[in-house]
Amino acid sequence: MAKTYSIAIDGPAGAGKSTVARRLAKELGYQYVDTGAIYRTVAYFLDLWGVSPKDIDGVTRYIDELTIQIEYDEEGTQHMMMNGMDVTADIRTQDISQKASLVSAHAVVRDMLLDMQRDVAKKYNVIMDGRDIGTVVLPRADVKIFLTASAEVRARRRTAELLAKGQKADYSQILKEIQQRDYQDTHREVAPLKLARDSVKVDTSDMDIEQVIGQIKTIVGKKIPV
Ligand code: DC
């Protein structure tokens, strides 16, 4: 099989990972893989069955009933299929964000999703974003980036994003949720969010999106042929 290249982008919620990864994937002709969407699909499924994301027995029992597939349309947009149903739009709520964070702490969930993520990287050149891509999923990724920003900046960006879409947004509530998710994602025992030894940290607190993309392109250009 021909060599495929992989770029791992990890970091906390709201750091701009998906915006950067999507843009870069388009420019490089790589497949963008949003791994958070996979955990969101698990959380959504369990929620439909009324299983609490903290209930390890319930999670273990119900997870066998779930088949997840990642599909891509002609534009390269990722679609999440839950037992054959497209749930891409349904998984984008604040409630599912929190539940995905909780459910992703269980080893039984992470183990089930590992090969699916690795298989995509075997087939395509990928830019994969998440929390444990550089540390666990693709420890031999060609480029590893840890994208971060202060919780306040991330909350401000998310608030502005929601307001721009005409949705309600309360800055202090958003900040609280971001801090809670940061805590959960960094303190779990299995595959916590942390800086991989060989990853490059980019703090975007004082940067705009064009500056971030410029900096990441420079990092990528040094490691892989673009
Ligand atoms: O990237 P996101 O906000 O869509 O992710 C939702 C949750 O899923 C996140 O809070 C933690 C979990 N997650 C994870 O544990 N590992 C990943 N690689 C991606 C997401």
Side-chain angles (χ1 to χ4, degrees):
M1 211 189 280
K3 149 110 184 132
T4 53
Y5 289 97
S6 51
I7 302 172
I9 304 187
D10 289 304
K17 299 185 299 293
S18 64
T19 311
V20 170
R22 207 174 275 124
R23 273 269 302 268
L24 220 59
K26 207 167 215 166
E27 288 188 27
L28 299 174
Y30 278 31
Q31 190 73 64
Y32 166 49
V33 187
D34 167 5
T35 63
I38 311 174
Y39 291 95
R40 285 170 182 270
T41 303
V42 176
Y44 183 70
F45 174 79
L46 294 169
D47 200 43
L48 284 181
W49 286 99
V51 177
S52 159
K54 289 186 181 171
D55 170 11
I56 179 63
D57 293 337
V59 170
T60 308
R61 211 162 343 113
Y62 276 79
I63 200 106
D64 284 344
E65 305 299 321
L66 170 63
T67 306
I68 294 185
Q69 275 169 314
I70 306 178
E71 292 185 358
Y72 295 95
D73 64 24
E74 308 85 74
E75 267 126 53
T77 305
Q78 177 177 322
H79 289 260
M80 292 311 307
M81 308 302 290
M82 176 193 85
N83 291 350
M85 215 171 79
D86 191 335
V87 294
T88 312
D90 307 287
I91 59 177
R92 296 282 147 205
T93 65
Q94 275 308 108
D95 182 46
I96 294 298
S97 302
Q98 289 299 338
K99 287 177 173 153
S101 172
L102 291 170
V103 89
S104 67
H106 302 303
V108 62
V109 172
R110 305 203 74 84
D111 289 350
M112 169 184 138
L113 303 176
L114 197 55
D115 284 344
M116 174 190 305
Q117 297 169 80
R118 287 181 176 159
D119 284 348
V120 191
K122 273 186 207 146
K123 276 195 229 148
Y124 307 102
N125 292 326
V126 292
I127 299 188
M128 199 174 272
D129 80 8
R131 304 294 187 286
D132 62 336
I133 310 305
T135 50
V136 176
V137 179
L138 305 175
R140 299 175 65 179
D142 299 280
V143 184
K144 296 184 188 179
I145 290 161
F146 191 90
L147 202 65
T148 189
S150 73
E152 288 74 16
V153 167
R154 288 182 280 133
R156 252 197 323 269
R157 287 181 189 156
R158 181 82 13 124
T159 308
E161 218 172 84
L162 290 171
L163 292 176
K165 281 195 225 159
Q167 294 177 18
K168 273 198 284 184
D170 173 5
Y171 169 79
S172 37
Q173 176 65 25
I174 291 173
L175 177 61
K176 220 169 83 191
E177 283 171 3
I178 279 185
Q179 286 167 332
Q180 191 180 339
R181 246 187 338 138
D182 283 357
Y183 185 85
Q184 285 163 189
D185 295 347
T186 51
H187 285 77
R188 64 182 180 222
E189 269 177 42
V190 201
L193 169 65
K194 65 174 182 199
L195 194 71
R197 194 178 27 82
D198 46 356
S199 102
V200 183
K201 185 172 171 181
V202 178
D203 187 328
T204 73
S205 297
D206 298 315
M207 293 162 93
D208 66 27
I209 188 70
E210 296 308 324
Q211 289 171 315
V212 177
I213 288 174
Q215 184 157 339
I216 290 180
K217 271 162 86 171
T218 307
I219 297 167
V220 169
K222 283 185 191 154
K223 305 231 175 187
I224 59 179
V226 290

